[in-house]
Amino acid sequence: MTSLVGLAIRIALRRGQDSGRRTIREREQMRSMINHLGVTADPQFYDDDVCEAAEREVLLGHALRCMAGLTNEQLDIVQATIMESESLSDWALRAGKSHQSASRQRTRALESLRRCVRSKTSTAGGNDESR
C-alpha cells in the first residue's frame, strides 16, 4: 500500500467483513440452538395441566355468554379497555364522557360479568369456589 487513504479503506473493509461474519456466525448458532431445543424438548402434559386448561375453557365460555348480557356501551368499554388495551382516558374521550364516569361504568360492567360468571360456575359445577 502506497496510499494512506487506500490503507484506511482496506482496514474499514476488513472490519466490515469481520462484523458481517460475526453476525452470520451468531445467527447460525442461534438457529442450531433453536433446532436442538426443538428436537430435545419433551413436552409433558400432566393431569393437573389438562384439568386446569379445561376449567379455563369452561370459564371462558361462561364469560363470553355473560358478555352478551351487557349493554352495548358496557360491552364496548370492556372490549376496548381490557381486551384491546385502549386506555380508559382515550375511551372516555371517544365516548364523550368524563374519566370518572367511564371508570364507574367499567367497574359496573366488570362486576356484572363477575356475578354472572360466578352464578354460572356455581350452577354448572355444583360447587362455589372463592376466586
Side-chain angles (χ1 to χ4, degrees):
M1 290 276 145
T2 58
S3 167
L4 209 51
V5 174
L7 178 63
I9 291 172
R10 176 71 73 176
I11 290 172
L13 177 68
R14 298 285 183 188
R15 284 184 180 170
Q17 288 174 340
D18 289 345
S19 175
R21 287 184 187 122
R22 183 177 60 242
T23 302
I24 290 170
R25 201 170 34 250
E26 288 172 357
R27 286 181 184 166
E28 288 173 350
Q29 287 173 351
M30 283 187 234
R31 279 192 199 112
S32 68
M33 186 181 348
I34 289 171
N35 289 338
H36 178 69
L37 288 175
V39 170
T40 60
D42 184 22
Q44 296 179 359
F45 298 104
Y46 299 103
D47 290 340
D48 295 341
D49 297 332
V50 173
C51 290
E52 184 178 338
E55 288 174 6
R56 284 186 181 185
E57 188 173 340
V58 168
L59 190 62
L60 177 64
H62 291 322
L64 291 175
R65 283 189 290 282
C66 288
M67 285 183 73
L70 295 176
T71 65
N72 289 338
E73 203 164 54
Q74 286 178 333
L75 183 62
D76 183 40
I77 195 170
V78 168
Q79 286 178 335
T81 61
I82 295 179
M83 300 167 114
E84 298 170 6
S85 65
E86 179 180 0
S87 73
L88 187 61
S89 299
D90 290 344
W91 186 89
L93 183 65
R94 181 171 51 89
K97 297 184 175 236
S98 69
H99 184 275
Q100 187 176 10
S101 170
S103 176
R104 282 194 307 260
Q105 188 170 9
R106 182 174 66 175
T107 301
R108 280 190 224 112
L110 291 175
E111 278 300 317
S112 174
L113 278 174
R114 189 174 292 120
R115 281 192 308 270
C116 179
V117 168
R118 280 189 180 158
S119 71
K120 287 186 181 296
T121 55
S122 65
T123 58
N127 58 355
D128 190 9
E129 295 180 6
S130 298
R131 292 184 186 203

